[in-house]
Amino acid sequence: MVKTELLLPDAAGLSRGAELLREGALVAFPTETVYGLGGDARSDLAVARIFDAKGRPRFNPLIVHVPDLVAAREFAVFDARAEAVAAAFWPGPLTLVLPLRAAGLSPLVTADLGSVAIRVPAHPLAQGLLRAFGGPLAAPSANPSGRVSPTRADHVMAGLAGRIAAVLDGGACAVGVESTILGLVDGPQLLRPGGVPVEMLEAMLGPLAMGGSAEKPNAPGQLASHYAPSAAVRLEAEDVRSGEVRLGFGPGACDLNLSATGDLVEAAANLFHSLREADLLAAGRGIAVAPVPEVGLGRAINDRLRRAAAPRG
Ligand code: TXA
Ligand code: MG
């Protein structure tokens, strides 16, 4: 448990929020849609803490918040259409899913997909915090998993006090529903209705197909871009069979360890990197993964491990 600071919407509040974010701590902040739970999108540990604080059972991809289009171009590839949509709707309640540019985001933010969801919020305090921090913020809605999104600082406190470092108090959010998510990876697709009316997007792009999101994929192919090890993965392995690479959790001999101390937040932060490393080490042999407890972040870790171990055609 930490004591959650309530930060005032002034220069001192913004600089304290930025300071906490630089330490890898979590700061909830107002946007025009709902309050976001912000953490440094480049830090594996900060992003793992977001999933832990929300109690999310899955590593679904998060939205990366940046102050403007120039910053967005660092992390995503914009074609002419994406440039035009961004020019028309940013800053504002529209998130664009675009091809990922290899530029230092934690793989936990993108769920290791080849795309990234980017948003430029219009709220002056979101803008102020992004500029004071000077980097991209991963920010899902600032509520425990499965509960409604918060639109006031006291809603955030009610759900997350003791689990996050601070809440920046900006009063009530004007829009009150999440941003609209537009996919621009394989042609325009509406991934989530939200703050920007679909009609406004269709006026510019023509009729929009309703796509599945990465959270609720409507076609198996949408998960195909998830990184899957080429090695066979054996889960809940109490022993190592000859030739296998051992991916450990907690104390004990192994080739790679998700967390030697058995810390689930550290294990989540290491997960995607470790799977790639284990795959390289295995060079075609199998990977034996130690059991990870099915509690807290362990549920999300096991969900991802089960996908890595699933038979592939
Ligand atoms: O209004 C909002 O957008 C709020 C405020 C805080 O800005 N944020 C928000 O973030 O709702 P989040 O991280 O909860 O939104 C995640 C949604 C999920 O439905 C996810 O499937 C989709 O964004 N998403 C993120 N990355 C994606 C990707 N690469 N491909 C497809 N969908 C993606
Ligand atoms: Mg939410």
Side-chain angles (χ1 to χ4, degrees):
M1 288 288 274
V2 294
K3 186 181 174 321
T4 302
E5 298 173 33
L6 189 66
L7 304 177
L8 297 177
D10 56 19
L14 289 175
S15 75
R16 177 65 181 148
E19 180 183 25
L20 289 165
L21 289 166
R22 278 193 286 271
E23 289 166 8
L26 304 184
V27 176
F29 62 95
T31 78
E32 67 274 33
T33 58
V34 300
Y35 275 73
L37 179 56
D40 186 343
R42 300 160 301 190
S43 160
D44 296 320
L45 210 50
V47 180
R49 288 187 180 125
I50 292 177
F51 287 97
D52 187 45
K54 285 185 62 93
R56 275 211 181 166
R58 288 204 164 170
F59 295 119
N60 45 346
L62 304 178
I63 296 175
V64 175
H65 296 64
V66 293
D68 52 32
L69 177 57
V70 173
R73 290 198 196 101
E74 258 183 70
F75 304 109
V77 180
F78 283 75
D79 61 10
R81 179 165 51 197
E83 289 280 347
V85 174
F89 293 98
W90 281 354
L94 178 70
T95 295
L96 298 180
V97 174
L98 299 167
L100 175 68
R101 195 184 280 289
L105 294 176
S106 166
L108 275 176
V109 173
T110 56
D112 226 7
L113 297 163
S115 55
V116 59
I118 305 242
R119 159 156 151 71
V120 175
H123 197 293
L125 288 172
Q127 282 284 331
L129 188 65
L130 284 164
R131 289 181 196 278
F133 173 57
L137 289 177
S141 55
N143 52 278
S145 183
R147 306 256 290 276
V148 297
S149 296
T151 52
R152 289 182 357 194
D154 55 302
H155 299 165
V156 179
M157 280 292 191
L160 295 175
R163 303 185 63 82
I164 64 176
V167 183
L168 180 60
D169 189 354
C173 300
V175 178
V177 297
E178 278 91 347
S179 60
T180 302
I181 303 182
L182 177 67
L184 289 177
V185 176
D186 318 301
Q189 271 200 324
L190 182 70
L191 299 179
R192 178 176 79 184
V196 167
V198 177
E199 292 80 357
M200 286 178 70
L201 294 174
E202 291 190 322
M204 186 168 182
L205 298 164
L208 283 175
M210 178 77 197
S213 67
E215 204 171 31
K216 278 190 186 162
N218 61 7
Q222 284 177 297
L223 285 178
S225 51
H226 268 281
Y227 177 76
S230 54
V233 177
R234 191 163 65 85
L235 301 182
E236 317 251 358
E238 303 279 3
D239 58 335
V240 204
R241 297 176 190 160
S242 79
E244 278 181 333
V245 166
R246 176 147 179 94
L247 180 56
F249 176 79
C254 57
D255 300 291
L256 288 167
N257 208 324
L258 289 169
S259 168
T261 58
D263 175 17
L264 288 167
V265 177
E266 184 185 26
N270 287 333
L271 181 63
F272 291 154
H273 299 288
S274 297
L275 281 175
R276 279 172 201 272
E277 244 181 282
D279 203 19
L280 283 176
L281 266 181
R285 296 173 294 153
I287 301 170
V289 186
V292 175
E294 186 77 7
V295 293
L297 267 188
R299 288 185 302 154
I301 293 170
N302 284 322
D303 172 71
R304 187 63 187 80
L305 285 171
R306 280 191 288 271
R307 287 167 204 250
R312 297 179 287 274

